[in-house]
Amino acid sequence: MTTMFDPWILSEDSFDPKKQHHKETVFTIGNGYLCTRGAFEEGYPGDHRATFIHGVFDEVPIDLTELANAPDWLPISIYLNGERFSLDSGTIESFQRILDLRTGLLTRIVRWRSPSGMSATLTFERFASLADEHLLCARCRVTPEFAGTVEFRAGLNGNMHNEGLVHWQWLGQGERDGVTYLHNCTRKSRIEIATAMQITNVIGREIVREAWDVENAPTRMVRLEAAPGQTVGIDKRVAVFTSRDVESKEVVNAVVNRVRESTEWESALEASNRAWTEEWNHTDVIIEGDNEVQISIRFNLFQMLVAAPRHDDRVNIGAKTLSGFGYRGHAFWDTEIFMLPLFNYTAPHIAKNLLNYRYRNLPGARRKAQANGFEGAQFPWKSADTGDEVTPTWVPHFADRTKLVRIWAGDIEIHISADIAHAVHQYWQATSDEEWFIEKGVELILDTAKFWASRAEWNADAHRYEYNDVIGPDEYHEHVNNNAYTNRMAQWNLQTALEALEWLKGRVPEKANELVQSLDLNEERLKKWRDVIEKIYLHIEPSGLIEQFEGYYQRKDIDLAALEPRAKSAQEIFGIEGCNETQILKQPDVLMMQYILRKHYSAESVRANYDYYNPRTDHTYGSSLGPSIQAIVACMMDYPEDAYEHFIRAVRADLRDVRGNASDGIHAASSGGTWQAVVFGFGGLQVTSDGWTTMPRLPKHWKRLAFKFFHRGKMHNVDLKA
Ligand code: IFM
């Protein structure tokens, strides 16, 4: 039987325990407040079941802080005539899991035979309401093929941990007005969380109903009579609030009330669906002629949308969204360079929240600059709740965990400050949100510029400014001097700061004066900025080729193609130091810079760099950030086959687990990058102060590419046909 392709439905029709953790990531659902991995309601041995809530960080050794895996709202165990349903026992006669990307509804249908021979079809559904971010709903239906009983045990579980590390302390639990609640608190950060549930819509004849007051895992049991072919079931309605949302003394009231007041499944789902329809109305991308890419791009967008904070501007999106333990929920430049363009053009309110997070964290960035002996704002390489640096200094070696490796990114991967400034400027250009730019944006650009001017080193012999001992985006090379990406982005930051200040002086002189005073932007300082802009070292050859960093060409030139086939990164093959000595790139620094500042580079220069750096990049096993940008640059060069090859690597990153680490969570930058690749690469969208144009470069087999975008408050439709 052939099933019709539905471009909104992500499905699998068998369960492979070896892929359990990868699929938990893929089937993550959420609503911008929290996300829940696709673990099973009834559990499975070794599962990585997790719910992460934005901003709920707690202390850990080494990495300082991490998102605490929240009390589990999923548990529903089922007993068929007393025999526990579990996919690790009995026989799975059929299995289907479906994620409806249009609505965020996750469904699993299993026909199972118990070890003693009782068969039933079990259907599980769940969604996190997009209309009410504190509301979660689960439903379970069982159609037995036997007579007897079906028992449901639905609970909340505060005994959750982050791969062994316990963050939660039990504060209390109880029942109010038929609603069961659990109250916990993070051990160090003292964030309180309350979770509440109610079993509703019981279908079938009830034999027994009990409340089990298990400490930290309150459970409600209902046993129903079973007859062959007659479906029985329950709905489970859950609410979650933390002391980040309401005052601590109110968290329990808030969850109990929310469960009591919320509506039944159908209307709650309908409200959520309406919110999703609205969301997709401005975010969706239509691609005809390539089913795989159509569903994959929607999947990547879906994962961006479930992670995007809509009502909270104190949080960022971690490099693994809220979908896994990877990077502990920390945010990187991934947000500003890879995800923000999507939100600037499809959901500017989300972009604003994300930038407000950086604005709120300016004090942390100032502390970092000061601690390092610099001025202005030096944003942390990895950021969590306070805006202080959370990059660990030492971590276990990937190949031999008994050894430690020094991580330098927190000390010297400084380009992030310019990336943030660039994102601020982009947001302003895309939205014309002048009020925000005046109130917050200009200050971010000025204070990062102040950092760059103080970090620049004067080389008197060469009569130039330099940034030495840095790591560029290509992290295979550490402690390099004059990384082109860093130097050029710093120069852009300084130049843009001068322009923004002039603009502000003309527009709102009082605000300009206020910033001149508070940031001490005296004439001498601005003169230094001009000097750095003029004399920063940037090495460009007549062909337009840019040396990634000083001395790069002297590193060993390895023929990467000759290493194929391989299933390891170049760093695993050559070792950290060994790779540092080669020209192999984890991600193509120079191309990324030319893409970000594309208005400033000629096609010849981009081509010279693409032709040089593309074969030297560790595409499949290097960074997941590279492929989408490579795809755009290849489009700019009119290299359609290359573009598609890079792009397909990016859209498949998590769905096909290209790097073997999707179990750690979604590769968020890659997801955001896929939207950019489609819109700016294949669609060739160019937005300028005068308006916008497209230059379609669709892959040969694409018949249509359509998307929408906001520019300066107005929504535009693009519909490109082959
Ligand atoms: O920010 C990236 C970095 O560029 C490469 N390593 C992974 C980080 C998080 O995605």
Side-chain angles (χ1 to χ4, degrees):
M1 192 181 80
T2 49
T3 42
M4 281 275 290
F5 169 73
D6 183 329
W8 289 97
I9 299 295
L10 189 70
S11 70
E12 62 172 4
D13 53 16
S14 63
F15 171 60
D16 178 355
K18 289 198 286 301
K19 295 188 180 154
Q20 174 183 202
H21 301 138
H22 165 216
K23 292 304 173 84
E24 285 171 1
T25 298
V26 167
F27 290 103
T28 292
I29 59 160
N31 59 10
Y33 172 78
L34 56 67
C35 285
T36 297
R37 285 168 62 78
F40 300 149
E41 286 78 355
E42 72 281 7
Y44 190 86
D47 59 4
H48 290 174
R49 50 198 308 117
T51 291
F52 295 105
I53 305 176
H54 268 309
V56 179
F57 282 98
D58 193 37
E59 255 184 53
V60 279
I62 303 181
D63 293 72
L64 307 168
T65 185
E66 71 180 352
L67 282 180
N69 182 8
D72 190 14
W73 66 278
L74 288 181
I76 304 179
S77 346
I78 292 154
Y79 290 76
L80 307 179
N81 272 349
E83 235 176 331
R84 189 169 155 264
F85 162 69
S86 175
L87 292 187
D88 70 325
S89 67
T91 313
I92 303 172
E93 297 190 323
S94 68
F95 176 98
Q96 199 184 19
R97 184 153 45 167
I98 297 164
L99 176 58
D100 186 341
L101 300 169
R102 198 181 344 229
T103 61
L105 179 69
L106 179 64
T107 306
R108 179 167 54 112
I109 307 168
V110 184
R111 184 159 184 272
W112 183 75
R113 188 153 40 86
S114 74
S116 76
M118 259 154 325
S119 293
T121 300
L122 301 96
T123 304
F124 299 86
E125 290 176 288
R126 69 172 86 139
F127 68 92
S129 171
L130 197 66
D132 173 356
E133 60 181 20
H134 298 283
L135 181 67
L136 308 163
C137 299
R139 165 172 277 190
C140 182
R141 297 286 179 266
V142 178
T143 308
E145 294 172 27
F146 58 89
T149 61
V150 175
E151 182 175 306
F152 297 88
R153 299 179 186 177
L156 302 169
N157 186 6
N159 299 300
M160 299 309 286
H161 55 88
N162 286 49
E163 297 169 315
L165 202 98
V166 175
H167 285 292
W168 298 104
Q169 215 179 311
W170 178 85
L171 293 184
Q173 64 190 59
E175 172 145 353
R176 251 191 243 167
D177 304 327
V179 175
T180 306
Y181 69 85
L182 173 65
H183 188 189
N184 302 80
C185 181
T186 51
R187 288 181 177 274
K188 290 285 186 189
S189 57
R190 310 306 294 169
I191 298 175
E192 290 189 28
I193 186 169
T195 325
M197 68 160 186
Q198 192 170 36
I199 304 305
T200 63
N201 196 20
V202 175
I203 298 178
R205 205 180 75 76
E206 252 182 76
I207 304 171
V208 187
R209 190 189 271 247
E210 285 174 7
W212 297 339
D213 202 22
V214 186
E215 183 168 305
N216 217 7
T219 303
R220 295 293 169 262
M221 182 276 270
V222 49
R223 191 176 307 139
L224 305 172
E225 195 174 275
Q230 280 184 24
T231 301
V232 295
I234 58 165
D235 290 355
K236 178 181 181 184
R237 212 190 287 164
V238 176
V240 182
F241 272 88
T242 77
S243 52
R244 296 184 70 261
D245 312 314
V246 292
E247 278 186 52
S248 298
K249 62 179 179 3
E250 287 303 322
V251 286
V252 171
N253 290 339
V255 282
V256 170
N257 291 341
R258 187 56 56 97
V259 169
R260 272 193 13 230
E261 288 157 13
S262 58
T263 54
E264 286 299 335
W265 173 277
E266 277 74 16
S267 49
L269 182 59
E270 218 175 277
S272 178
N273 289 353
R274 275 197 302 275
W276 271 109
T277 304
E278 178 55 30
E279 205 78 22
W280 282 115
N281 190 30
H282 40 87
T283 316
D284 190 26
V285 168
I286 296 171
I287 293 166
E288 288 176 8
D290 193 333
N291 287 350
E292 184 194 349
V293 166
Q294 173 65 90
I295 187 102
S296 306
I297 190 81
R298 284 191 173 135
F299 169 76
N300 281 287
L301 291 171
F302 175 83
Q303 289 299 344
M304 285 282 89
L305 291 173
V306 296
R310 288 164 183 74
H311 308 292
D312 191 348
D313 70 355
R314 298 162 295 165
V315 297
N316 201 321
I317 303 177
K320 298 287 182 184
T321 67
L322 295 171
S323 60
F325 294 94
Y327 293 126
R328 300 186 187 277
H330 300 163
F332 299 66
W333 72 311
D334 304 33
T335 305
E336 281 74 19
I337 298 296
F338 296 84
M339 302 178 225
L340 215 90
L342 160 71
F343 297 122
N344 279 343
Y345 288 105
T346 61
H349 57 291
I350 293 174
K352 180 147 100 178
N353 281 346
L354 293 168
L355 290 171
N356 276 343
Y357 164 87
R358 293 299 188 180
Y359 183 77
R360 284 172 173 279
N361 285 330
L362 263 174
R366 288 175 179 144
R367 281 193 291 276
K368 175 161 178 153
Q370 207 181 15
N372 291 339
F374 304 119
E375 296 178 329
Q378 179 183 9
F379 278 95
W381 175 241
K382 293 214 285 169
S383 189
D385 44 356
T386 64
D388 289 292
E389 182 61 74
V390 291
T391 307
T393 322
W394 295 91
V395 298
H397 192 284
F398 58 77
D400 177 356
R401 299 192 72 78
T402 62
K403 293 200 182 108
L404 287 177
V405 178
R406 176 70 163 89
I407 298 295
W408 289 101
D411 307 64
I412 59 175
E413 192 155 356
I414 56 177
H415 61 85
I416 185 163
S417 296
D419 302 328
I420 292 170
H422 188 263
V424 166
H425 193 256
Q426 288 285 298
Y427 169 76
W428 180 44
Q429 294 299 300
T431 62
S432 297
D433 184 350
E434 206 166 283
E435 192 185 327
W436 185 87
F437 191 63
I438 291 167
E439 273 311 307
K440 297 174 177 160
V442 178
E443 186 173 349
L444 277 160
I445 294 177
L446 291 172
D447 220 19
T448 43
K450 201 168 152 187
F451 161 70
W452 286 115
S454 73
R455 174 65 167 79
E457 293 158 61
W458 177 244
N459 179 336
D461 294 337
H463 201 73
R464 67 189 191 203
Y465 284 99
E466 303 181 340
Y467 292 106
N468 293 324
D469 193 19
V470 302
I471 304 176
D474 163 31
E475 294 167 337
Y476 280 175
H477 297 98
E478 299 184 329
H479 303 292
V480 302
N481 293 341
N482 292 309
N483 165 258
Y485 181 102
T486 307
N487 287 20
R488 181 68 184 93
M489 290 296 286
Q491 184 192 44
W492 176 91
N493 198 159
L494 286 158
Q495 181 67 45
T496 306
L498 288 173
E499 288 163 11
L501 185 59
E502 271 318 294
W503 177 86
L504 193 63
K505 281 180 180 163
R507 192 87 186 150
V508 192
E510 317 78 64
K511 180 70 187 176
N513 273 338
E514 184 192 311
L515 289 175
V516 166
Q517 298 303 321
S518 64
L519 302 179
D520 190 21
L521 303 179
N522 54 48
E523 244 332 288
E524 200 184 324
R525 187 186 296 282
L526 300 186
K527 189 160 159 277
K528 162 99 184 270
W529 291 13
R530 284 185 209 102
D531 211 35
V532 178
I533 293 166
E534 194 193 328
K535 297 183 188 133
I536 186 75
Y537 176 65
L538 291 167
H539 181 73
I540 307 182
E541 303 199 1
S543 65
L545 186 64
I546 299 170
E547 188 175 29
Q548 186 178 288
F549 55 82
E550 240 185 312
Y552 170 83
Y553 298 137
Q554 278 78 59
R555 308 267 163 138
K556 267 181 259 163
D557 198 6
I558 306 284
D559 180 4
L560 265 179
L563 299 178
E564 299 297 343
R566 66 188 163 106
K568 285 181 172 174
S569 71
Q571 203 169 50
E572 283 169 276
I573 295 172
F574 294 101
I576 296 175
E577 286 80 21
C579 207
N580 206 358
E581 286 161 17
T582 73
Q583 289 192 16
I584 304 169
L585 312 181
K586 182 173 175 182
Q587 51 196 0
D589 246 42
V590 173
L591 298 180
M592 288 170 150
M593 181 259 284
Q594 289 197 310
Y595 163 60
I596 295 168
L597 302 179
R598 50 197 177 280
K599 289 192 195 115
H600 303 267
Y601 291 97
S602 68
E604 293 70 46
S605 168
V606 179
R607 190 181 304 278
N609 286 289
Y610 183 90
D611 290 348
Y612 189 85
Y613 289 111
N614 187 46
R616 290 170 173 80
T617 305
D618 192 0
H619 298 295
T620 308
Y621 299 104
S623 172
S624 65
L625 280 63
S628 53
I629 306 299
Q630 296 263 100
I632 305 172
V633 178
C635 282
M636 286 156 66
M637 296 299 83
D638 228 347
Y639 292 161
E641 269 114 47
D642 270 30
Y644 193 74
E645 190 185 322
H646 293 305
F647 174 68
I648 205 79
R649 215 174 258 136
V651 284
R652 285 178 179 168
D654 292 307
L655 281 172
R656 296 226 186 162
D657 198 6
V658 169
R659 287 175 175 73
N661 61 0
S663 54
D664 293 342
I666 292 291
H667 291 82
S670 175
S671 292
T674 58
W675 180 87
Q676 296 191 58
V678 168
V679 169
F680 301 127
F682 298 118
L685 177 69
Q686 285 191 30
V687 183
T688 65
S689 45
D690 302 329
W692 58 275
T693 55
T694 55
M695 188 188 281
R697 305 139 176 145
L698 306 192
K700 272 203 283 294
H701 57 294
W702 287 16
K703 299 193 167 46
R704 180 180 171 214
L705 165 63
F707 57 87
K708 294 178 185 169
F709 70 98
F710 286 109
H711 184 225
R712 307 198 158 163
K714 195 165 171 273
M715 192 198 261
H716 302 279
N717 279 294
V718 174
D719 202 337
L720 307 168
K721 307 253 167 55

